[in-house]
């Protein structure tokens, strides 16, 4: 429920703010534009702010922390896009922090969009957690 509500809040926010992505800012901006700059990943065709990946990260971190605590037994993740790289985590927050950095480093989001995404997802998840009984009550 928190993730579905987070998606709705993300879409509403993206089109309320309509902030351009780094590729547009860097290629056509007024400060030293670089028309040949290309991000590492394909840029989605919707506005930058807030980062959808990070709204999910903030919501997931909040729900997992509420249900299991903020720390976890160490677990490792790999990615097909980074062969041979293994990342190990002991808190849900570490995943969110790295997600923020990954979206900036790949060139598809501004840091402010990523940080706003974490905040939005966290706020939506807190609301859902506070109101779960009411939201799931039979009508």
């Amino acid at each position: 429920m928190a993730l579905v509500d987070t998606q709705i809040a993300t879409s509403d926010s993206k089109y309320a703010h309509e902030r351009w992505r780094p590729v547009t800012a860097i290629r056509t901006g007024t400060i030293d534009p670089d028309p040949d700059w290309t991000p590492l990943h394909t840029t989605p065709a919707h506005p930058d702010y807030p980062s959808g990946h990070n709204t999910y990260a903030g919501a997931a971190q909040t729900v997992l922390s509420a249900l299991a605590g903020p720390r976890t037994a160490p677990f490792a993740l790999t990615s097909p896009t980074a062969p041979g790289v293994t990342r190990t985590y002991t808190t849900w927050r570490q995943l969110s922090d790295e997600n923020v950095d990954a979206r900036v480093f790949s060139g598809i989001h501004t840091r402010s969009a990523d940080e706003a995404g974490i905040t939005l997802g966290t706020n939506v998840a807190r609301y859902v957690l506070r109101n779960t009984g009411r939201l799931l009550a039979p009508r």
Side-chain angles (χ1 to χ4, degrees):
M1 188 177 308
L3 295 180
V4 170
D5 287 350
T6 294
Q7 179 59 54
I8 294 166
T10 300
S11 294
D12 286 351
S13 295
K14 281 185 178 294
Y15 291 98
H17 297 284
E18 292 189 332
R19 290 209 352 220
W20 60 0
R21 289 187 177 266
V23 67
T24 305
I26 293 169
R27 287 180 180 172
T28 64
T30 58
I31 300 172
D32 194 25
D34 181 354
D36 297 322
W37 185 84
T38 304
L40 294 176
H41 293 295
T42 302
T43 300
H46 49 264
D48 178 59
Y49 184 95
S51 163
H53 275 73
N54 281 300
T55 57
Y56 282 116
Q61 174 188 326
T62 302
V63 170
L64 289 168
S65 293
L67 297 177
R71 299 192 62 74
T72 181
F75 66 95
L77 294 176
T78 60
S79 171
T81 61
V85 176
T86 300
R87 304 290 299 151
T88 301
Y89 304 93
T90 57
T91 69
W92 308 119
R93 168 124 192 189
Q94 291 171 313
L95 288 160
S96 296
D97 289 346
E98 286 196 3
N99 197 45
V100 167
D101 287 342
R103 306 302 281 172
V104 172
F105 298 159
S106 68
I108 61 171
H109 276 298
T110 60
R111 186 162 298 276
S112 62
D114 289 321
E115 291 171 353
I118 294 287
T119 299
L120 179 58
T122 297
N123 290 341
V124 170
R126 285 180 180 158
Y127 177 86
V128 169
L129 289 166
R130 276 193 315 271
N131 293 283
T132 299
R134 194 181 69 155
L135 294 169
L136 298 176
R139 301 201 186 255

